[in-house]
Amino acid sequence: MADEPRLYRPRDRAVPHPGDRDLTAALNPDQARAVTFGDAPLLVIAGAGTGKTRTLIHRVAGLIERGVAADRILLLTFTRRAAAEMLARAERLVGSASARVHGGTFHSVGHRLLRQFGAAAGLPADFTIMDQGDAQDLMQLGRGALGLAKSNKRFPKTETLHWLYSRHINTELPLDELLHRDTPQFLEYQEQITALFADYTLRKQERNLVDYDDLLLFWALMLEASPSLQARIAGLYDHVLVDEYQDTNLLQARILRGMCTAHRKLTVVGDDAQSIYAFRGAHFRNILDFPRHFPGATMITLAQNYRSTQPILDLSNVVISRAEERYTKDLFTKREGGERPWLVTAKDEAQQTRFVADRVLQLYESGVPLHDMAVLFRAGYMSADLEIELANRKIPFEKWGGLKFLEAAHVKDVLAFLRVSENPRDEVSWYRILMLLPGIGDSTARTMMAAMQERSWDPDAFTHLLTPPKAREAHRSLAHLLRQLRGIGAADASGGAKVASDITAVRALYDAILTEKYDRPEARLADLDQLRTIATGYPSRTTFLAALALDPPSGTQDLAGGSESENDTLVLSTVHSAKGKEWKAVFVIWAVDGWFPASRSIEDPDELEEERRLMYVALTRAKDELAVVYPMQVYGSKRSADYSFDQLSRFLDRGVRATMQRVVVEDTEAAVPAPAATAPEIDLRALMRGRFGGTS
DNA sequence: TTTTGAAGTCTCTCC
DNA sequence: GACTTCAAAA
């Protein structure tokens, strides 16, 4: 139970689709061919909006109708959202039988398999999962231990080191090649970097910690290193289906090979024009290499778009036609009519925000529900101004992607307490907790952890540690808390209530620290209330902690519980998080060179190409209405000599603009007077000066 | 020597 | 607005 993936959340009522008797009735010939295709490797190249997911789901349904047991089908996706959506749609199509289809992201399925089979591979069953931040923290600790932390300014930053490590695991490129290609300036440190990676690997093992990359790597290794393990793991499934295959990397291809060598019943779908995860080691050529990895594979191409109007496709096709390398064809639709997409010129961010809010309301009044509209942007923080405006105007919205609830420092702090009680060897969490205590800094924390390691991380070791006088009292109350947590946590049987009371116990100590640290702690304290509420939904502390790393609730909205679908809310999303989704009306904001494409991608041709595909993904989300907005003036923009950041995105060149219509925002807010040019009647500043006795 | 406060520097995407 | 770096204080 506890080990089941959490991605599938069955709703109470599963209504079978009325037309599920003939699964191919609603499909075009190409789609139907993919659905009814037999048991050999199958590659479906499917452009945006061509019914890719629909085809995949129908294929699952078809397999079930052919008598394949639902729980012997594995459906792999790339993002959590895609996994949840796919399984929900499968259920709608074939009814509750699909409830037993196994599915999730590669990482979550890898996690489940590791809990199940890890013991046979020498991995303790109670390992803790580290998120990216934790992994970096751990590497930082190793860096200190190896004496690489200081003294050398030119040594790569921990962030870069972790990136290199992850890249090495996911792309299977040797370190020296990676260094040569991506960061030649660090070549001279290759020896130290290798030593650091070795230390990191050992450190993880000794602390019983597993990072995201391990979830994939260990899965692959279990399949490859032991024929009997492979038989047991691969033997769990008769059919494997993979969505968004263009976003897989070599490690994942290896996993699929291991899972499918026996039966070769593998279906993958994807679109090379929508490959946007190169930063995670994916390469769109992977999808084209599929026939080589799985000889005898059949390829089916879907090019008819069912989503967008022709004018929207015209624009998207021109944008992607500028790509250096491209394999999929132009999309076409039989949908008639539709307005040309808008290219909206705004004076500045404020006007861009006003335009979006006004237009959203306008569409809403004309009958488009809020949930049929989305605002897309390159990076999470770019919607800040809009969020404030929407809140002011009381337009309900939910935000996808961007900074996550669980990445907030205070949430991680509280979780760290739970994690050390769960896994006393969790060095990352120990460090975090110790640094919170007054009188303890980096060096004392390291000394204390070394002492605990001396005692083999005995849970009682902490109580007997010596601390500086200043930290005495804090040490005592922390020791007390940890004993208490172990006591509470021991009775795992009573489930979520226990996790919640753990959190309450932690807060008895932590709230004071938090209040001390921040001027306005209210919002953060509220976050912790949320965390407690979320915790009640999990059967045990172990499941709770693992789920948080792999399937984190995105924050406020998820908390509302099952009612989220009933609320009519506007979606704000990063383009990455929007992939695979569609809306009647889509706004793409910040179409400014340096923002989209991001300035750091401009110099590297490959990265620029990925940005282009990202823009393509953004544009192809729209069904009926599409508006691309760009503010001409960017306040507080970077003072870079190389680029000016108030130019229209380079992806919207002349030819592209010819498929759009220009819209200039009428400045309705012109009533707001510009700063007075006349001499002030009074001088407020002068009146305020000296108010606090100071003279500055 | 270690901690802590303050000024200064950027800001991605996801599991 | 969060994290890093630097200098002063304990």
Side-chain angles (χ1 to χ4, degrees), chain A residues 470-493:
Chain A
K470 268 199 311 184
R472 262 258 194 65
E473 200 183 328
H475 174 247
R476 212 176 13 245
S477 27
L478 177 57
H480 174 73
L481 171 64
L482 292 175
R483 271 199 305 277
Q484 195 184 347
L485 286 179
R486 264 189 290 142
I488 296 174
D492 224 13

Side-chain angles (χ1 to χ4, degrees), chain A residues 600-632:
Chain A
R600 51 194 300 180
S601 308
I602 283 174
E603 275 141 294
D604 184 292
D606 288 342
E607 287 181 37
L608 190 61
E609 285 305 304
E610 176 142 318
E611 297 281 315
R612 190 194 309 281
R613 293 191 294 270
L614 198 57
M615 178 63 88
Y616 177 72
V617 168
L619 300 175
T620 51
R621 298 310 96 198
K623 291 200 269 193
D624 301 335
E625 305 245 359
L626 174 62
V628 179
V629 192
Y630 88 99
M632 290 185 293

Side-chain angles (χ1 to χ4, degrees), chain A residues 545-559:
Chain A
L545 291 174
L548 287 187
L550 292 171
D551 188 14
S554 61
T556 6
Q557 280 77 27
D558 274 23
L559 261 205

Side-chain angles (χ1 to χ4, degrees), chain A residues 99-154:
Chain A
R100 285 163 51 234
V101 170
H102 285 203
T105 61
F106 273 87
H107 289 86
S108 72
V109 172
H111 169 239
R112 198 180 89 236
L113 293 172
L114 279 183
R115 295 273 182 213
Q116 203 176 341
F117 297 99
L123 183 75
D126 60 346
F127 61 83
T128 306
I129 300 177
M130 294 188 290
D131 68 17
Q132 194 171 323
D134 299 332
Q136 282 171 12
D137 289 348
L138 187 69
M139 199 165 270
Q140 178 64 36
L141 286 169
R143 191 177 166 178
L146 293 183
L148 297 168
K150 290 182 184 131
S151 77
N152 202 334
K153 279 213 154 93
R154 295 181 53 212

